[in-house]
């Protein structure tokens, strides 16, 4: 048994039903890691002026799928974070509706 149960998912064929159920119960207690080809965004560019930086190496800040775009404040031009295409399309509506206030506060010009 490894320290991180997510690492055990690769070896399910040799496990009994009881071992798999135990693993699934332990997975509930451990945060899902980033996909191997993506980095979890840690606000590296938050508060910086927007520029073209490849976003596809990061997870979407809102849904954890592969990001394709850098979301930025169009008023102040500061980066908020990487978003996937669906979240990037919904972002204006969510901002207007007051959803994800922690995310929109990443722009220093918009922060309360």
């Amino acid at each position: 048994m490894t320290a991180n149960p997510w690492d055990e998912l690769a070896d399910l064929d040799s496990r009994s039903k009881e071992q798999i159920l135990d693993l699934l119960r332990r997975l509930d207690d451990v945060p899902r890691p980033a996909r191997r080809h993506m980095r979890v965004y840690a606000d590296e560019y938050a508060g910086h002026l927007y520029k073209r930086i490849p976003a596809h190496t990061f997870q979407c800040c809102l849904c954890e799928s592969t990001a394709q775009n850098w979301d930025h404040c169009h008023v102040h031009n500061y980066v908020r974070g990487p978003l996937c295409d669906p979240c990037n399309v919904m972002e204006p509506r969510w901002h207007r509706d007051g959803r994800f206030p922690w995310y929109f506060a990443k722009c220093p010009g918009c922060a309360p």
Side-chain angles (χ1 to χ4, degrees):
M1 186 161 44
T2 62
N4 185 348
W6 287 97
D7 296 337
E8 297 178 48
L9 288 176
D11 183 35
L12 291 180
D13 293 337
S14 64
R15 296 178 183 268
S16 69
K17 180 180 176 181
E18 291 79 22
Q19 290 173 321
I20 293 172
L21 290 173
D22 176 62
L23 174 61
L24 291 174
R25 279 189 288 277
R26 289 186 293 121
L27 287 175
D28 287 340
D29 299 329
V30 179
R32 182 173 181 250
R35 295 184 182 135
R36 295 201 189 283
H37 67 284
M38 293 187 298
R39 298 182 350 212
V40 174
Y41 182 63
D43 292 337
E44 294 97 315
Y45 304 111
H48 289 81
L49 291 176
Y50 174 72
K51 58 185 173 185
R52 294 283 177 188
I53 304 165
H56 66 276
T57 60
F58 289 96
Q59 285 182 328
C60 174
C61 282
L62 301 177
C63 75
E64 297 183 359
S65 63
T66 303
Q68 289 92 17
N69 309 287
W70 281 100
D71 177 48
H72 63 287
C73 173
H74 290 258
V75 175
H76 303 104
N77 212 30
Y78 286 105
V79 170
R80 287 188 285 243
L83 295 180
C84 65
D85 284 335
C87 288
N88 196 42
V89 168
M90 292 299 295
E91 176 269 326
R93 178 183 297 168
W94 290 336
H95 194 177
R96 186 178 58 244
D97 294 345
R99 294 187 63 195
F100 306 110
W102 57 269
Y103 176 73
F104 295 107
K106 290 183 178 190
C107 169
C110 295

